[in-house]
Amino acid sequence: MGEPARIYVDKQHPAAYHAQLEVAKAVQQATEAAGLFRRLVELLNIRVSQLNRCAFCLDLHTREALAHGETAQRVATLPAWRDTLLFDDRERAALTLAESLTTLPSDRDQDRDYADAATHLTPEQLSAVSWVVIAMNAFNRISIVSRHPVRPRHDAETVTTTRSIG
């Protein structure tokens, strides 16, 4: 006997999903107001999705990042970003905070990560990055619980999305 089929929770309760989309719109406004470029926001979306192992969101946000000018090299090395020279101090601070807020380490470690991030990000940017991570974690959970499929596509296909964080 196989596993029971998963329902798409976004389709089963569309009002709840639409409320999550409204959160995503507010987060996008916050990131723009904080001066965070879309490329960085997409890198955060990818990194959070890597940590959560959300294939659907990885596929979506990798395409979004590339469409907004991110390089394939930076996307490919993102799991090992600390071991490269490809990311500037502000990006490193945002990635540190994103990982900390996703993995929820001990209070001491999270306080250290937050303090480190605060040396390179303004309070508005710290808040905006935090909201990107919070929203992305929620979207990851929606896709993971629903087991949204990742289907093969041709490289030339454009990115068309009804949801995006930031």
Side-chain angles (χ1 to χ4, degrees), residues 41-53:
V41 172
E42 291 304 335
L43 283 177
L44 297 174
N45 290 336
I46 293 168
R47 188 64 189 128
V48 169
S49 297
Q50 288 171 337
L51 294 169
N52 289 325
R53 298 180 48 201

Side-chain angles (χ1 to χ4, degrees), residues 30 33-36 97 114 117-131:
L36 298 177
L97 187 58
Y114 193 90
T119 65
H120 299 286
L121 299 170
T122 67
E124 188 175 25
Q125 291 170 336
L126 280 166
S127 179
V129 167
S130 297
W131 275 108

Side-chain angles (χ1 to χ4, degrees), residues 5 7 15 18 20-21 46 53 55 60 66 117 139 143 145 149 159-160:
I7 59 164
H18 289 290
Q20 185 63 34
L21 291 174
I46 293 168
R53 298 180 48 201
L60 171 67
L66 296 172
F139 277 117
S143 289
V145 167
V159 177
T160 55

